[in-house]
Amino acid sequence: MTAALKAGLIGLGSMGRNHARILAGLEGVELAGVVEPAGDRNGWAQGAPVLSTVDELLALGVDYAVVACPTGLHEKVGLQLADAGVCALIEKPLADTVEGARRLVEAFESRDLVAAVGHIERCNPALLSLRARLEAGELGDVYQVVTRRQGPFPHRIADVGVVKDLATHDIDLTGWVTGQAYTSIAAHTVSKSGRPHEDMVSAVGQLSDGTMANHLVNWLSPLKERFTSVTGERGCFIADTLTADLTFHSNAAVATEWEALRAFRGVSEGDMIRYAIPKREPLLVEHELFRDAVRGKPADVCTLRQGLLTVEVAEAVLESASTRTTVTLTAPDRTEHGT
C-alpha cells in the first residue's frame, strides 16, 4: 500500500481555506501543516498544525505544498520550496511579474520538480466538455472566443488589479480550450474604485490560428457572471462556469426557399442542445490531478511554462492599456508549452 503524501498549505485566506478543506479529505494525502502568520481563529486549517513560517513547514518533511498566499509573495515562497526540493501547486497567477514567473519556471525545472499553476477553470466540467468537443471537431473552424467575467470587488485582493487576478482565468482558458497562443492584444482599462490598480478591462486579441478573442472583466458589477462562448462554422458553444452548464446553438440545417435570404451567405438559428455532463467540484479535480502528478502518474496539470505564458499575456494587456497601442506577442512552440 502506497504511503500517503505529506502536503503543506501556505496561506489561509479565501482560497487557502478551500484548499485546506480539500487537502484534509483528499485520498492518499495527509495535510501535515498550514502556514498562516495571522493564526487560525476560525478552524479553517481542519485540525492541522498552524505554523508561522515556511521553514517550519519544510521541517515537517512535506512532499509538496500548495501556495495560496498573496500573488506578490508567490515568487519568494515558490523559490524557497524549490530550493528545498519540494513540489508545488501555486495559485494563479504564477507570479506578479513576468521576470518572477520565469525565475520560478527555471527553479523547478532545473531541479526536475513537479510544479503546476492553479488555473482552476481547466477543471470546470463545462470547459472540459467544451475543450473535448472542440478537439473532436464538432464546431469546425473556430472563429471567435468571447468571455465575460464580472462581479463585485473581492476584498481579499490587495496587491494586483483585475487583469492579473480575474483576467488571467480567461487568458488561460482561451488558450487551453482552443490549443492556440495569443499573437496580439489591444486593451483599455479603468480604475473607478479608488484603488491603485485597474478594476475593469476590455481586451481584443488574436490567436495563432487567426481566431479572435474578446474579454470583458471587471470588479464593478453587482451582477456576477462567468460566461464563455466559442463561435465557429457549425454554431456556437456557451459555457456558464458558475453553474457548469454547456449549451450548443447550431447553425440551421434547413435550406431556405426565400430568394432574398438565400443571397446572404450567413447563418441562421438552428437547434439548441444543453448537455448533461457530470459535475464534480473543480478544486477537488485539480488536487487529484496534482497528487497524481507528484506520484509520477500521467496528469493534465497546468505547467509552470503555461502559467508563464498567461502572465506574459496579462503584462501585454496592461502595456497595451498604458501605451494605447496593440502589443504583438511571439507565439510559442505549442508542443513545448502545451497551450
Side-chain angles (χ1 to χ4, degrees):
M1 185 175 178
T2 305
L5 293 169
K6 294 180 68 174
L9 172 64
I10 301 162
L12 205 53
S14 60
M15 275 306 297
R17 67 193 67 162
N18 284 308
H19 283 295
R21 171 178 57 83
I22 297 295
L23 285 167
L26 188 60
E27 183 179 353
V29 172
E30 172 197 350
L31 178 56
V34 177
V35 178
E36 179 48 71
D40 177 25
R41 291 173 294 180
N42 299 293
W44 288 328
Q46 305 293 318
V50 180
L51 313 169
S52 298
T53 68
V54 176
D55 285 333
E56 293 177 71
L57 180 67
L58 294 174
L60 298 177
V62 293
D63 297 295
Y64 73 89
V66 177
V67 179
C69 54
T71 304
L73 297 176
H74 285 188
E75 180 186 354
K76 177 183 177 182
V77 171
L79 292 178
Q80 189 173 356
L81 295 173
D83 286 342
V86 174
C87 301
L89 172 61
I90 303 174
E91 259 300 338
K92 65 86 204 156
L94 175 56
D96 59 344
T97 66
V98 170
E99 295 75 19
R102 287 175 180 156
R103 285 189 285 268
L104 285 169
V105 170
E106 170 62 24
F108 282 92
E109 286 189 350
S110 65
R111 294 166 174 82
D112 199 26
L113 292 169
V114 176
V117 185
H119 279 293
I120 196 170
E121 293 288 40
R122 294 187 177 211
C123 300
N124 189 285
L127 294 177
L128 283 166
S129 180
L130 169 57
R131 184 187 190 218
R133 293 176 186 281
L134 291 179
E135 289 180 338
E138 293 185 19
L139 196 60
D141 288 340
V142 175
Y143 302 152
Q144 182 184 45
V145 180
V146 175
T147 69
R148 296 196 304 270
R149 186 175 297 268
Q150 53 186 342
F153 171 67
H155 293 284
R156 61 185 174 82
I157 301 298
D159 57 343
V160 294
V162 75
V163 170
K164 289 185 178 176
D165 181 62
L166 279 191
T168 49
H169 279 302
D170 296 313
I171 292 167
D172 179 74
L173 76 84
T174 296
W176 177 70
V177 299
T178 62
Q180 305 297 320
Y182 287 80
T183 56
S184 69
I185 199 82
H188 292 280
T189 60
V190 297
S191 181
K192 297 292 186 180
S193 59
R195 300 173 62 253
H197 303 291
E198 79 290 342
D199 42 35
M200 175 180 284
V201 61
S202 178
V204 178
Q206 188 169 49
L207 307 184
S208 46
D209 66 348
T211 297
M212 179 186 296
N214 301 76
H215 306 304
L216 176 62
V217 189
N218 75 65
W219 280 329
L220 299 175
S221 172
L223 166 69
K224 187 172 183 178
E225 184 179 34
R226 302 289 185 266
F227 171 94
T228 300
S229 71
V230 182
T231 302
E233 64 176 322
R234 295 175 185 163
C236 176
F237 283 111
I238 296 178
D240 182 336
T241 53
L242 284 176
T243 60
D245 288 326
L246 179 67
T247 56
F248 176 59
H249 299 257
S250 69
N251 295 339
V254 180
T256 180
E257 297 181 7
W258 188 355
E259 183 66 30
L261 292 182
R262 282 211 309 266
F264 171 64
R265 297 182 59 190
V267 299
S268 56
E269 184 178 1
D271 296 330
M272 184 186 78
I273 302 170
R274 178 179 173 186
Y275 297 103
I277 52 179
K279 296 182 179 180
R280 301 184 68 222
E281 182 181 357
L283 190 61
L284 173 59
V285 174
E286 180 179 270
H287 274 277
E288 289 175 343
L289 289 171
F290 190 73
R291 173 202 62 196
D292 292 348
V294 173
R295 290 198 180 280
K297 299 178 181 179
D300 187 15
V301 299
C302 178
T303 68
L304 296 197
R305 283 198 175 270
Q306 293 168 356
L308 167 60
L309 292 177
T310 296
V311 176
E312 289 175 342
V313 176
E315 288 278 18
V317 168
L318 292 172
E319 179 186 348
S320 172
S322 175
T323 61
R324 298 185 179 273
T325 62
T326 298
V327 176
T328 300
L329 298 108
T330 302
D333 180 350
R334 285 190 292 153
T335 301
E336 175 186 352
H337 293 274
T339 56

